[in-house]
Amino acid sequence: MRLNFAWQIIIGTVAIQVAMVAALMISGISQVQHNQSQMLERFAEQQGRLLSSALTPGLAYADPAMLQDLLELVADDSNVLYAVVLDAQDQPMASVGISPDTIPARADGTRTTPGQIEILRDIELAGQPLGTLAVGYSTDAIDALSATLLQRNVLLALGVLVLSMLAAVVFSLVITRRLRLLNQGGKALQGGRLDHRIPVRSHDEFGDLARTFNDVAAHLGSTQTTLEQQNQQLNRSVARLESMLGGANAILWEADPRTHEWEFVSGDTRRLLGFPAHNLGRGELRARHIHPADLPRVQNAARESRTSPRTVDYRFAHRDGQWIWLRDILSWARDADGRESLRGLTLDITTHRRTTDALAESENRYRDVVDHISEVIFRTDAEGHWTLLNPAWEALTGFSVEETLGRPLCDFVAPEDHDDAHSFCATLLEGGSHSQSEEIRLRTRDGDIRWVSIYASARFDDHDQVMATFGTMTDISDRKQAEDEIRRLAFFDGLTQLPNRTLLHDRLGQSLANTERTRLHGALLFIDLDNFKDINDTLGHAVGDDLLRQVAERMLNSVREADTLARLGGDEFVIILNDLHPDPARAATQAEAVGRKLIEILRDPFKLAGQRRHVTPSIGATLFSGRSLSVEEILKQADLAMYRAKNAGRNTVRFYDPELHRAVEARFELESELRHALDQDAFSVHYQPQVNTSGAVIGAEILLRWKHASRGMISPAEFIPVAEQTGLIVPIGRKVLRAACEQLAAWKHQPAFRDLTLSVNVSARQFRHKYFVRDLAETLEATGAPGHRLKLELTESMLLENVETVIAHIEELRSFGIEFSLDDFGTGYSSLAYLKRLPLAQLKIDQSFVRDVLDDPNDAAIAQMVVNLAHTLDLDVIAEGVENDQQRAFLFGLGCRHFQGYLYGHPDTLAELEALVLRQSGNGNAATHP
């Protein structure tokens, strides 16, 4: 008998519910009984503990009355059936209720019988047994409660069973109805009605199943539509392929890979090959039309295409008798049955091959032109690195094309033109210009220099960014050499290669402009060779020319690069001296020194025609500054001065201005006397005290003095510049430092003087001398002078050049304890950048600012600035030239704490300085000198 799905659900559900209710009832009854027993035992145990605690005092005192009173209180509980208290010998001491004949044994402690539960509990005190308590409780109330609870559980279980059966019936009816809808949908789908849909009325699993069914039906409908569209598209594609193959003059075919017989052909073979497809279907027929030289390649390509597609070009004999070029694109395929086939696409590439051959021929002709042209053709990338060069590059520079590619132009440019080449490339590569041209010098592999003219243009991309440059280089070395020769002939003397009159005029005009700008002086020396006409007439013009060349060579080696030596003509030469001293007298001295040097270098005899001949010059000199005089006027003045030299006996120097000449003569006389004074040790030193705020002497500055035998005392302002210029300042300064060290060594053993310091002015020339540090260190060691008591005063002029040397010398000398002061601060070109680097100890306010500090706001501001700067740099500051109390008070108010000047003492002898120190210290005894 077959049961439908609804009855299966009902029967199954009822059976499961019955089994579940029976199991729950059995489990519930057992659990209730178990819980009842546990509850009674826990209750009896708890009550027993409470009674035991209450009865302990009565047992301890053996008081039956107390025990009886307590038991009667317990008897008021309706659940208590009896209670008995026994002593340690099990004798009754008190009881209530009806006691049983036997009480529970001590081993059990609890005894349960229907309707009651009895407990037995020992009563102890401090581990000693006092007696026993036996209590019986009634369980009737709990038993009645348990029976009521069990009855309710049975009724509840029966009600659940009935409800479950009703739910099963309803559920089976709902389920079977939904299943019928699904069954109807499946039959509709089976019948091909893809538009049938099952109504969805819920969101449970049946609703999900209905939606899935509807989605499947919709997808099948969409798939069917898509397949129909794809079939239509496929038909159109086949038609389009046929049309394209015909338009492209190509055929598509499939062949047996063993026999190469066509099994499928699409396309117009008659148009492509000149034969219908059935005439070429067999492989051996097609092979007869393939060029014999190409046939092996075609066959190899067919075999190799089994692993990967291959392309092969070959010649084919067309029906009209011409060879055409074909290209086969070959590959192997395998169908669903595992059968292999060779597939191919054959294209007519005759036109393409002819174009390629023509392009290759054109490329060859272009390459022939590029490889044989004399000009360098190049291409660079966007960074300026060469990517193309023709062989003319190697012929020009000696560098091969291979080693040059990838490098920039600047790698091969001569150092003199590196900046121009960099600017040329940067302008082009940055898009600043579409084309550029420049003339620069290249360095060849052999180290030679070649002039080239470069023309280059830039190519831009769609974003106006330079993507490459193209250009040419032309060797213009011969042209440049010709231009140099033309320039030489135009501006240089052909005999001596010196600048001629034309270039001289240009150079002299530049010197005039330079003196106007710099406020310096320049000088012009006009040189005429004495008795040159006699040598020229007696020995011949060739010997005369040789003499002029030798004279020019000697003089050229004695002038600076900044100066100009020119030949006017005949035996006349001119020298332009630039950047001479701003003071006319000093500038004249410099020009005089050059003239004397020329006389000296021409003193040696010349070898002429196997003879030794002496030649002397007459030199005229004139100074110039600014544009007050023209070029011709300056030349005329120097010419007149030259004639004054000839009238003075020749072989001498004369100035156009007689007063200037006398000043020069006086300067040379002073130099001679200065050398004599140095040899005779005619110099002496004086000491000017330096004091603190209280006027106490803390040291002195050593000042050089020269007492001339006939002229008396000569001012240092007069002889020090001469000593600087001639270099005599070095040995003079060495003597002064020696004297200072000896004096410090003598003072260090005398308490009154051992704390004094001595300041010594050091000239720039002396300080930069290569042995200055060594000589001073040896002097300190030889004299035993304390270095920390020696202070060297430097001038600002030292900071204008070789500042690194100055700093190095200062650091070396500081290791001996020597301190440094910057003298005349503010009068020169003070650089704060240099000042903060110099390890100085002191700044000195120049007396030119102190002199008018009370009257001139500018001098006061400068003094204030020097003091503030010194304090900022943590330097000491001293003011020189203090002559009155008002100046001292003003400087003190600015923050200056050390002073020097006539207010405290004139420069004087050592004895006067020591006497002043002793007077201040209260010791009038004269110092003992070594």
Side-chain angles (χ1 to χ4, degrees):
M1 182 178 65
R2 179 177 178 226
L3 296 176
N4 59 28
F5 187 67
W7 281 108
Q8 292 178 16
I9 293 176
I10 293 172
I11 294 173
T13 303
V14 171
I16 293 173
Q17 290 297 326
V18 170
M20 290 177 60
V21 168
L24 287 174
M25 287 179 66
I26 295 171
S27 174
I29 293 171
S30 175
Q31 187 67 34
V32 168
Q33 292 175 349
H34 178 70
N35 290 342
Q36 176 185 353
S37 174
Q38 285 187 340
M39 185 175 65
L40 288 173
E41 291 177 0
R42 283 198 298 271
F43 175 75
E45 180 68 22
Q46 183 179 12
Q47 292 297 322
R49 286 198 192 97
L50 292 175
L51 286 174
S52 297
S53 299
L55 295 174
T56 299
L59 287 173
Y61 291 106
D63 188 352
M66 182 187 295
L67 295 175
Q68 186 64 39
D69 291 340
L70 289 173
L71 291 181
E72 288 179 354
L73 291 175
V74 175
D76 293 339
D77 187 353
S78 60
N79 292 322
V80 177
L81 298 178
Y82 71 91
V84 179
V85 179
L86 305 177
D87 60 11
Q89 288 76 32
D90 291 335
Q91 296 297 319
M93 294 183 68
S95 64
V96 293
I98 301 174
S99 303
D101 294 336
T102 60
I103 60 175
R106 281 189 173 86
D108 298 334
T110 302
R111 183 173 63 191
T112 302
T113 57
Q116 69 175 9
I117 182 172
E118 299 171 274
I119 63 170
L120 180 68
R121 184 169 185 82
D122 293 331
I123 300 175
E124 297 177 349
L125 179 63
Q128 296 296 325
L130 297 179
T132 304
L133 170 65
V135 184
Y137 292 96
S138 173
T139 62
D140 294 340
I142 295 177
D143 291 342
L145 179 62
S146 297
T148 301
L149 181 61
L150 181 59
Q151 182 181 6
R152 290 180 181 177
N153 285 341
V154 171
L155 293 176
L156 180 61
L158 293 176
V160 169
L161 181 59
V162 172
L163 291 177
S164 298
M165 293 175 65
L166 291 176
V169 172
V170 174
F171 178 73
S172 64
L173 294 177
V174 173
I175 293 298
T176 53
R177 181 177 177 276
R178 293 183 179 183
L179 290 177
R180 282 196 298 270
L181 292 176
L182 291 175
N183 185 35
Q184 292 172 2
K187 291 180 178 180
L189 191 63
Q190 184 179 8
R193 290 185 289 125
L194 301 180
D195 57 345
H196 179 80
R197 297 293 183 268
I198 298 175
V200 180
R201 297 189 179 93
S202 64
H203 296 283
D204 54 8
E205 287 77 1
F206 281 99
D208 294 339
L209 186 58
R211 278 190 289 271
T212 302
F213 179 88
N214 293 339
D215 291 342
V216 170
H219 179 70
L220 290 176
S222 174
T223 303
Q224 184 178 24
T225 303
T226 302
L227 289 175
E228 292 174 355
Q229 293 175 351
Q230 289 178 348
N231 286 333
Q232 294 175 359
Q233 257 182 336
L234 181 60
N235 294 333
R236 287 195 297 270
S237 297
V238 171
R240 191 181 299 114
L241 177 61
E242 292 284 350
S243 176
M244 290 174 61
L245 291 175
N249 203 15
I251 59 173
L252 189 65
W253 50 266
E254 185 175 274
D256 187 330
R258 294 166 304 180
T259 62
H260 295 280
E261 183 175 352
W262 279 346
E263 298 175 345
F264 165 79
V265 179
S266 177
D268 192 352
T269 58
R270 188 184 298 274
R271 179 184 175 190
L272 177 65
L273 307 176
F275 301 95
H278 62 271
N279 288 354
L280 297 175
R282 291 162 53 190
E284 63 271 15
L285 294 178
R286 293 197 305 278
R288 294 174 185 174
H289 291 269
I290 297 176
H291 195 287
D294 299 337
L295 182 59
R297 288 190 297 106
V298 175
Q299 294 172 341
N300 289 336
R303 286 192 296 269
E304 293 172 356
S305 65
R306 184 169 189 174
T307 57
S308 62
R310 291 288 188 271
T311 300
V312 59
D313 295 349
Y314 58 94
R315 286 162 289 183
F316 188 86
H318 198 272
R319 187 169 186 174
D320 60 9
Q322 296 183 353
W323 289 103
I324 62 172
W325 277 95
L326 300 178
R327 173 172 295 169
D328 281 358
I329 302 175
L330 307 173
S331 64
W332 284 50
R334 187 188 300 269
D335 59 18
D337 299 330
R339 179 176 174 274
E340 292 182 328
S341 61
L342 177 62
R343 294 175 179 176
L345 174 65
T346 301
L347 304 170
D348 184 357
I349 60 169
T350 304
T351 303
H352 170 72
R353 288 297 297 234
R354 290 172 181 171
T355 303
T356 303
D357 293 342
L359 182 61
E361 178 62 25
S362 176
E363 176 70 19
N364 290 334
R365 288 196 300 269
Y366 166 78
R367 180 55 58 188
D368 288 341
V369 172
V370 170
D371 289 349
H372 295 89
I373 196 172
S374 60
E375 292 184 343
V376 177
I377 299 176
F378 66 86
R379 180 186 186 275
T380 75
D381 57 20
E383 284 75 37
H385 298 154
W386 272 320
T387 58
L388 171 68
L389 281 167
N390 66 337
W393 167 259
E394 186 170 354
L396 174 66
T397 65
F399 293 102
S400 66
V401 173
E402 290 75 14
E403 65 180 308
T404 305
L405 292 179
R407 299 171 64 182
L409 168 66
C410 292
D411 285 359
F412 303 91
V413 175
E416 300 86 349
D417 292 343
H418 191 273
D419 291 341
D420 292 339
H422 180 76
S423 176
F424 172 83
C425 295
T427 302
L428 203 61
L429 294 173
E430 292 172 3
S433 174
H434 285 265
S435 61
Q436 285 272 98
S437 61
E438 184 63 86
E439 293 182 355
I440 59 174
R441 284 164 285 191
L442 295 181
R443 173 180 49 83
T444 67
R445 180 183 288 278
D446 298 332
D448 297 333
I449 298 298
R450 304 293 295 178
W451 275 98
V452 295
S453 175
I454 301 181
Y455 173 81
S457 60
R459 174 178 291 180
F460 296 83
D461 58 18
D462 295 338
H463 304 288
D464 289 333
Q465 298 295 317
V466 175
M467 57 184 296
T469 66
F470 300 85
T472 61
M473 289 185 195
T474 304
D475 187 356
I476 59 171
S477 301
D478 294 340
R479 193 195 81 191
K480 283 291 185 179
Q481 186 175 358
E483 291 175 355
D484 291 342
E485 181 64 18
I486 294 172
R487 187 181 299 106
R488 188 187 64 80
L489 294 175
F491 296 105
F492 292 88
D493 175 56
L495 178 63
T496 61
Q497 306 306 315
L498 296 176
N500 59 15
R501 181 183 293 271
T502 302
L503 187 54
L504 172 67
H505 278 239
D506 180 71
R507 296 276 179 86
L508 186 54
Q510 295 178 20
S511 296
L512 289 173
N514 181 63
T515 58
E516 185 178 32
R517 183 177 63 257
T518 62
R519 306 299 181 187
L520 300 176
H521 276 86
L524 190 73
L525 302 184
F526 198 106
I527 305 162
D528 184 85
L529 301 182
D530 301 326
N531 302 319
F532 173 75
K533 186 174 183 302
D534 295 340
I535 295 176
N536 206 32
D537 292 342
T538 57
L539 299 180
H541 292 287
V543 175
D545 291 345
D546 186 27
L547 173 61
L548 292 175
R549 281 192 291 266
Q550 293 187 44
V551 169
E553 183 178 354
R554 288 191 188 182
M555 290 194 296
L556 189 62
N557 293 331
S558 66
V559 299
R560 302 172 302 175
E561 291 186 5
D563 302 329
T564 298
L565 171 63
R567 182 188 176 212
L568 284 183
D571 61 341
E572 295 177 340
F573 297 87
V574 173
I575 295 179
I576 303 173
L577 302 177
N578 294 307
D579 301 330
L580 301 182
H581 201 276
D583 179 61
R586 297 282 296 274
T589 301
Q590 293 173 316
E592 172 82 5
V594 175
R596 291 181 181 274
K597 182 179 180 181
L598 292 174
I599 293 173
E600 186 66 28
I601 65 173
L602 296 178
R603 189 183 305 277
D604 294 336
F606 293 88
K607 294 182 180 180
L608 301 172
Q611 304 179 21
R612 297 171 64 86
R613 292 294 185 101
H614 289 271
V615 175
T616 59
S618 294
I619 304 176
T622 186
L623 296 181
F624 57 86
S625 181
R627 295 184 178 274
S628 58
L629 298 174
S630 66
V631 171
E632 291 296 338
E633 288 174 330
I634 295 173
L635 284 170
K636 186 179 294 185
Q637 287 183 1
D639 190 25
L640 292 175
M642 184 270 294
Y643 281 108
R644 291 186 67 246
K646 283 187 178 292
N647 294 334
R650 303 184 179 185
N651 197 29
T652 187
V653 181
R654 285 294 183 269
F655 279 85
Y656 173 75
D657 183 358
E659 293 296 329
L660 193 59
H661 181 74
R662 282 192 288 274
V664 172
E665 290 293 337
R667 181 261 177 204
F668 277 100
E669 183 180 355
L670 182 62
E671 177 187 343
S672 177
E673 293 175 342
L674 196 60
R675 294 182 184 274
H676 181 72
L678 181 62
D679 294 338
Q680 298 299 317
D681 199 15
F683 297 102
S684 62
V685 292
H686 283 194
Y687 300 82
Q688 186 172 29
Q690 296 175 337
V691 303
N692 57 19
T693 55
S694 63
V697 177
I698 59 174
E701 180 180 0
I702 292 185
L703 301 171
L704 184 66
R705 294 293 182 263
W706 178 21
K707 188 174 183 179
H708 194 272
S710 58
R711 297 171 56 186
M713 295 297 293
I714 299 179
S715 170
E718 182 178 353
F719 70 84
I720 290 297
V722 177
E724 277 276 5
Q725 188 174 2
T726 58
L728 294 174
I729 193 66
V730 175
I732 293 174
R734 191 180 299 120
K735 287 180 175 292
V736 174
L737 284 173
R738 181 82 183 190
C741 291
E742 290 175 348
Q743 190 56 52
L744 289 173
W747 278 348
K748 73 177 181 179
H749 300 296
Q750 303 178 45
F753 309 117
R754 62 188 177 193
D755 293 331
L756 299 180
T757 62
L758 287 180
S759 300
V760 181
N761 281 291
V762 180
S763 72
R765 187 163 187 171
Q766 179 185 3
F767 192 77
R768 294 195 184 100
H769 194 274
K770 61 181 179 179
Y771 298 127
F772 175 75
V773 175
R774 186 199 66 184
D775 292 345
L776 183 53
E778 292 176 352
T779 301
L780 288 172
E781 183 178 3
T783 61
H788 65 282
R789 293 298 172 191
L790 179 62
K791 185 181 295 180
L792 301 184
E793 295 188 359
L794 309 179
T795 60
E796 291 188 53
S797 60
M798 292 187 187
L799 307 181
L800 298 180
E801 56 183 61
N802 295 332
V803 66
E804 299 299 335
T805 302
V806 173
I807 294 175
H809 282 184
I810 291 177
E811 291 292 355
E812 288 186 70
L813 293 173
R814 286 183 69 211
S815 64
F816 299 104
I818 299 174
E819 292 188 342
F820 290 84
S821 174
L822 190 59
D823 193 15
D824 303 336
F825 183 71
T827 62
Y829 301 93
S830 302
S831 171
L832 298 181
Y834 290 154
L835 184 61
K836 70 180 182 179
R837 295 179 57 196
L838 293 173
L840 300 173
Q842 186 182 70
L843 294 182
K844 199 168 192 179
I845 304 175
D846 186 66
Q847 60 181 346
S848 62
F849 302 128
V850 176
R851 185 184 305 113
D852 299 322
V853 72
L854 300 176
D855 304 320
D856 191 338
N858 294 329
D859 288 346
I862 292 175
Q864 178 71 75
M865 179 272 296
V866 174
V867 173
N868 292 341
L869 182 62
H871 290 169
T872 301
L873 298 177
D874 197 21
L875 302 178
D876 184 22
V877 61
I878 185 172
E880 65 176 356
V882 181
E883 299 181 355
N884 54 60
D885 289 327
Q886 291 81 7
Q887 292 174 341
R888 184 259 181 203
F890 182 82
L891 292 169
F892 180 82
L894 296 181
C896 181
R897 298 295 181 262
H898 299 110
F899 310 94
Q900 176 183 342
Y902 291 167
L903 178 62
Y904 304 101
H906 290 258
D908 213 329
T909 62
L910 175 64
E912 290 295 328
L913 175 67
E914 291 180 336
L916 176 61
V917 174
L918 291 174
R919 286 196 301 271
Q920 291 182 347
S921 63
N923 184 0
N925 297 327
T928 301
H929 298 283

